[in-house]
Amino acid sequence: MTSSIASPARPLPNRIPPEILCAQDYELLAPRCMELPSHDYIAGGCGRDTTVAANRSAFARWAIYPRLLRDLTTGHTRVTIAGKGYAHPVFLAPVAFQKLVHPLGELETARAAQVMDSCMVSSTLSSVRLEEIAAAAGPDRWFQLYFQPAQEGTRDLVKRAEDAGYGAIVVTLDATIQIPSMRALRSGFRMPRDCVAVNLRDETPAASAPLGSGQSRIFQGVMRTAPTWRDLEWLLTQTRLPVWVKGVLHPEDAIALQSMGVTGVVVSNHGGRSLDGAPASLDALPAIRAAVGASFPLLLDSGIRSGADIFKALALGANAVLIGRLQLYALSVAGALGVAHMIRLLLEELEVCMALAGCATVPDIRPDALIGHHIPVDHGHSPC
């Protein structure tokens, strides 16, 4: 819902607070740096936030085996995904409307991604034009796509992404319906007037057909323009870029997408923002890896707060991970500097896990590095 009130002016954050001792500390400081309704909107998912909680608790069910006497002097975090090399497996997820937390929005995130050699996935619903984001980001940048009501609108976004030098299209398919969380609704969150999806300013809104007697507002209303398998088949013919699909939780869907020729999939429940009660992304990952085989590229998002979480995702089958909420928390606290620092901390935390678990490289991180074990989640003041 759009507010007629502009967001208040905020000073540009330009330093890392001394309280930041680990990556997750940005989550603790973020409420000081944004309006309460905005924080509740970002921190919440949908419904009662059941899946948001599940995403975090899934990581606590795994422990990492320490290993002894390994020579790790040639260790590194470089990865190769779909034939392309990346400096490390920490990517930045597509997060919409980043001007909610920083006046420069996605431009700051893009600058941090460039400095840290991190692949940034830019959202269709960004509050800065995709061309400006591309100019600020590093060479590893992808574009996240939502299907538009008309094919011309979708084709226009894809063409703009190609012209701007994005290296892949990541089409999100699990968010046809998004219901705000009770938390955001109770806070009275409204999107500020100056925070809009600028990439869609020239798009014609879908005409809403009147419902007939007995028709559903959901099935014959909202879902009338929802994409289908035919739309994805069409998209694959419209671009020369690799196409990824984001929002996969069921192995059968992953197999079908693999058969269609998509480059890879993102195992994701949209950070708990799509279906409240969906399984945690991490819980879905092992079955999807088993279904598609060892060589098919898989990314994972939802719930990651530490290098140990990243290690666990890699061990259970991901080739890389996408960082979502933690990206916004760091952006709100310290702008581009904060996002870059957050990535640096995650990488150092990951390297510590790798070193103590005897894994010199990311391919060395295998399922046998973990043991299923319930670890109580720390609800204290410091997550470190």
Side-chain angles (χ1 to χ4, degrees), residues 49-354:
D49 293 339
T50 304
T51 300
V52 172
N55 282 331
R56 290 296 304 128
S57 62
F59 287 97
R61 289 194 290 273
W62 294 96
I64 302 170
Y65 276 118
R67 300 303 301 271
L68 309 178
L69 303 176
R70 304 292 179 90
D71 182 1
L72 301 172
T73 54
T74 60
H76 62 81
T77 58
R78 295 187 295 274
V79 293
T80 300
I81 302 172
K84 187 179 187 315
Y86 297 88
H88 54 76
V90 181
F91 291 16
L92 295 179
V95 182
F97 303 121
Q98 294 191 21
K99 284 189 177 180
L100 272 175
V101 303
H102 192 284
L104 300 181
E106 290 83 357
L107 288 180
E108 290 286 277
T109 302
R111 290 166 183 145
Q114 181 180 45
V115 168
M116 293 305 302
D117 294 322
S118 189
C119 181
M120 177 182 179
V121 187
S122 177
S123 173
T124 290
L125 302 180
S126 61
S127 47
V128 176
R129 285 177 59 83
L130 66 91
E131 290 85 359
E132 296 177 67
I133 296 169
D140 294 327
R141 54 184 184 268
W142 297 356
F143 179 71
Q144 177 271 333
L145 173 72
Y146 284 116
F147 276 104
Q148 299 304 298
Q151 285 188 342
E152 292 77 11
T154 302
R155 187 186 295 113
D156 177 64
L157 285 170
V158 170
K159 177 67 163 53
R160 287 173 60 190
E162 290 178 342
D163 291 346
Y166 287 91
I169 300 294
V170 182
V171 57
T172 298
L173 295 179
D174 67 336
T176 304
I177 301 174
Q178 286 188 266
I179 299 172
S181 69
M182 296 296 106
R183 179 176 181 175
L185 291 173
R186 288 173 180 139
S187 285
F189 172 77
R190 296 184 298 167
M191 193 67 71
R193 185 180 59 199
D194 60 348
C195 197
V196 298
V198 296
N199 291 320
L200 303 181
R201 275 180 171 159
D202 298 330
E203 301 298 329
T204 303
S208 55
L211 296 176
S213 176
Q215 288 189 318
S216 163
R217 186 166 63 97
I218 303 301
F219 294 121
Q220 288 80 40
V222 177
M223 297 300 291
R224 182 174 58 87
T225 58
T228 66
W229 289 100
R230 290 190 301 274
D231 293 303
L232 183 58
E233 290 172 351
W234 169 81
L235 177 64
L236 292 172
T237 69
Q238 298 300 305
T239 180
R240 55 181 171 75
L241 295 177
V243 175
W244 292 68
V245 169
K246 183 175 183 292
V248 181
L249 291 175
H250 200 290
E252 291 181 7
D253 288 336
I255 291 170
L257 292 164
Q258 183 183 32
S259 299
M260 286 183 67
V262 303
T263 298
V265 303
V266 183
V267 180
S268 168
N269 56 37
H270 215 84
R273 289 187 176 278
S274 179
L275 172 61
D276 197 29
S281 297
L282 190 73
D283 288 343
L285 177 61
I288 292 177
R289 172 52 75 198
V292 299
S295 61
F296 188 65
L298 296 181
L299 306 185
L300 177 130
D301 73 20
S302 305
I304 292 170
R305 296 292 187 276
S306 69
D309 293 343
I310 296 170
F311 184 98
K312 293 171 186 180
L314 297 173
L316 292 174
N319 298 103
V321 300
L322 293 164
I323 306 300
R325 284 185 178 89
L326 203 57
Q327 172 193 156
L328 280 191
Y329 295 146
L331 180 64
S332 73
V333 171
L337 184 62
V339 177
H341 184 237
M342 178 271 297
I343 296 170
R344 171 71 68 190
L345 289 172
L346 286 176
L347 285 171
E348 290 182 350
E349 293 168 15
L350 172 61
E351 290 175 357
V352 168
C353 287
M354 291 173 64

